[in-house]
Amino acid sequence: MSGKIQSEIRLSKPLGHPEVEAFLNIQRTAEVQLNQLTQLLRPHGLSPAQYNVLRILRGAGEQGLPCGEIATRMISRDPDITRLIDRMEQRGWVARNRSVQDRRVVTVTVQQQALAMLAALDEPVADLHRVQFAVFDANRIATLISLLEVLRETARGDGAKATRAG
């Protein structure tokens, strides 16, 4: 093992298990890449969580989605989706609509201003991801995706499915 993570986070003792090293590498890599995305979004006044919500809503189309459904689709769960939506509504990026059939259901839709901002960000974000993964060819990227999917399935308790896939 290379042990680069050990020196990067300045550990004086060995990690002990390769699984620990793998876990820390995944966390550190995700943090580095998320920070790069944060820097790209910052001039637009967007956080990665807000960007994620806007992309989810763009994909949902004109009918929008209830807050709870948005929360389940997010990449990183936000414990206070209501507050997140509040801030986005104040900026004119989303609108809330109460259902006439069931007044408890509030649907959120993306506004035109946010759609234009997303369209302007599509290529820069894709470019960022291309740069982030430029060290890998298509086969290695596919392998990485597959391995990470197996890890998530196992973590969610879909172990039998993950074992068959691996």
Side-chain angles (χ1 to χ4, degrees), residues 50 53-70 84-99 105-115 118:
Q50 291 169 330
V53 168
L54 292 177
R55 286 179 47 114
I56 290 166
L57 290 172
R58 177 173 63 180
E62 291 179 12
Q63 69 273 13
L65 291 170
C67 287
E69 181 62 23
I70 295 168
L84 182 65
I85 298 294
D86 285 344
R87 289 190 300 272
M88 295 174 73
E89 187 176 34
Q90 289 168 358
R91 299 195 70 181
W93 294 340
V94 299
R96 285 187 173 113
N97 304 297
R98 192 165 296 280
S99 170
V105 176
V106 176
T107 302
V108 182
T109 55
V110 65
Q111 298 300 289
Q112 199 58 44
Q113 170 190 354
L115 289 172
L118 282 176

Side-chain angles (χ1 to χ4, degrees), residues 36 40 120-134:
Q36 292 171 335
L40 178 67
L121 284 166
D122 283 341
E123 199 55 37
V125 170
D127 288 343
L128 171 64
H129 295 320
R130 279 191 283 275
V131 168
Q132 289 174 325
F133 290 91

Side-chain angles (χ1 to χ4, degrees), residues 19-75:
E19 296 84 0
V20 173
E21 184 173 352
F23 178 79
L24 292 175
N25 270 289
I26 290 169
Q27 281 190 300
R28 187 64 168 205
T29 304
E31 183 63 29
V32 167
Q33 290 193 332
L34 184 60
N35 186 50
Q36 292 171 335
L37 178 63
T38 300
Q39 297 308 312
L40 178 67
L41 298 175
R42 182 170 284 141
H44 301 274
L46 271 174
S47 70
Q50 291 169 330
Y51 178 69
N52 188 202
V53 168
L54 292 177
R55 286 179 47 114
I56 290 166
L57 290 172
R58 177 173 63 180
E62 291 179 12
Q63 69 273 13
L65 291 170
C67 287
E69 181 62 23
I70 295 168
T72 62
R73 294 183 186 197
M74 290 186 71
I75 300 297

